[in-house]
Each structure stands twice: as structure tokens, then as C-alpha cells.
Amino acid sequence: NAPAFRGSCYCLSNFYDNIGHEIHGQSTSGFNKKSYDFDFTGEKRFLWKAGERRIKDLNLLSNYADKTKTRNTFSHWVGMMTGTPYHFCQPVRVHLNGVFHGVMDMMEDGDDRMLARNGLDPEGAFYKIYDTSITLNAEKKTRKEENNDDLIALTNGLAIAKVIADRQLYAYDNVDIAATVNYLTTRFLNSDSDHGHKNYYLYRDTNGTREWQPIIWDVDLSQ
């Protein structure tokens, strides 16, 4: 992977300078056309759509291996239609240094502003899950001044070593069951099996119900 660098971009009649860029993704980092993370400065956040709140970070995703060029956009649209929290995602024409580079998928990053856009409390605990070592490798996206004891308590409460009745009781008290069913249904409708072991977020309504729910992320192997 190339090291992070800073540059400029232009979109919707807005010019942005001194933006942080770095390679995004694991397997896609080896593609000829890669994915990128954009980190906009506090002086000027990114306007992705007229009338919408500006965002702090942006993912420009490669669809180099997707012959349909629609999987990211369509799968998050399904999430919008089913009512589960989702990322805005749309195809955009990209020029690099004045030369046409390709059609890529512009998607919001998972952060407090994404939570707020989906009607969730942006101050709730929010984790990005990369693999089955949930408590070791999860990336905390909010409440970073705290430890991850809440996530450890969740995994302990649902540990398969416990009898099913105890796990069920813990889930009823600590998990938003309706939101979780909706999430799973959305994944099923998207024919998306590349999750569960990875590729999802966990969100907790820390200041409200204190219940957890999964949120979709990484849908490029769906449909």
C-alpha cells in the first residue's frame, strides 16, 4: 500500500484543498484501480448532495472487480428501502490529475454523522468489526475516550459456551431484536454471505435504550 498523502479535489462546484488520502480496503488494495479514503479538514467539510449535511470523511470505492458496477449502490439502496441503517452510496465519474480514471462508488464513512443521518444517537458506542476476534480487533469509531468494556460484556453475554436460555435472556435485555432481524433480512435480500465473521458494525444506543444492533458495511460481494 502507498503511504497516506494530501491533495485536492473538486465536486459539485466546490474545491477542497489539503485533503488526507490513503488506500482503502484489504483485497481491493491490490487492484489496478484502488479504493481511497478521503479525510476532509474542519475548515471545509465535503458536500455530497445539495441540501444534505456535509460529511467529514468519504470512501471512494473501486468497483474494478464488479462487472455490474452497481453492487455497492444497489445493496445500500435495499438497506434504505428495508429501513435498516445504511450508507449513502452512488456512482461518480472520477478524473485523476485531469484524466478520466473511471466510474467509482462514492460512499460515506461510518462515523457519528452517518449515525445521525440514520436517526441514531451519534453519541452511542460504534464499532467496526473486522474479524471473529471481535474484542481484540474492533475499531472504535465513537466514544474513543472510553475502553471497550461494553463490547466485551456483549460478547461474554452471548458466548456460545453459555446455555441457550441464558443467551436468549441476555439478548432480550441487551439487543434491539427488531433492528437485528431487519439487518439480517436485508443481508439475506442482498444475497450477502460475506458477513457475520466480519464486515459489519455494532452500534449501542448508550445514552438511551442501551441496546445493541448490527449495521451493514462492505457489500461488494452481494447480489
Side-chain angles (χ1 to χ4, degrees), residues 127-131 134 138 151 198-202 217:
Y127 293 89
K128 193 174 189 178
I129 308 302
Y130 287 95
D131 54 39
I134 294 177
L151 185 62
K198 60 176 181 176
N199 291 346
Y200 63 99
Y201 294 101
L202 282 173
W217 160 57

Side-chain angles (χ1 to χ4, degrees), residues 132-186:
T132 54
S133 302
I134 294 177
T135 57
L136 295 177
N137 297 326
E139 177 187 353
K140 197 160 194 179
K141 308 287 283 185
T142 62
R143 305 179 77 92
K144 295 181 181 180
E145 71 283 357
E146 300 175 351
N147 56 34
N148 66 342
D149 285 351
D150 54 355
L151 185 62
I152 293 173
L154 175 68
T155 58
N156 288 340
L158 298 176
I160 59 175
K162 295 187 174 183
V163 297
I164 187 66
D166 290 343
R167 280 184 277 159
Q168 286 177 331
L169 183 61
Y170 184 87
Y172 291 148
D173 289 339
N174 294 276
V175 176
D176 187 332
I177 302 298
T180 301
V181 170
N182 204 24
Y183 162 88
L184 292 170
T185 301
T186 302

Side-chain angles (χ1 to χ4, degrees), residues 92-135:
V92 292
R93 179 185 176 100
V94 178
H95 287 245
L96 179 62
N97 296 327
V99 177
F100 176 68
H101 179 68
V103 174
M104 302 183 73
D105 297 328
M106 183 176 72
M107 191 178 81
E108 71 185 314
D109 192 43
D111 59 15
D112 56 340
R113 296 194 180 202
M114 188 273 278
L115 294 174
R117 189 186 58 74
N118 280 282
L120 300 173
D121 180 6
E123 294 184 355
F126 192 39
Y127 293 89
K128 193 174 189 178
I129 308 302
Y130 287 95
D131 54 39
T132 54
S133 302
I134 294 177
T135 57

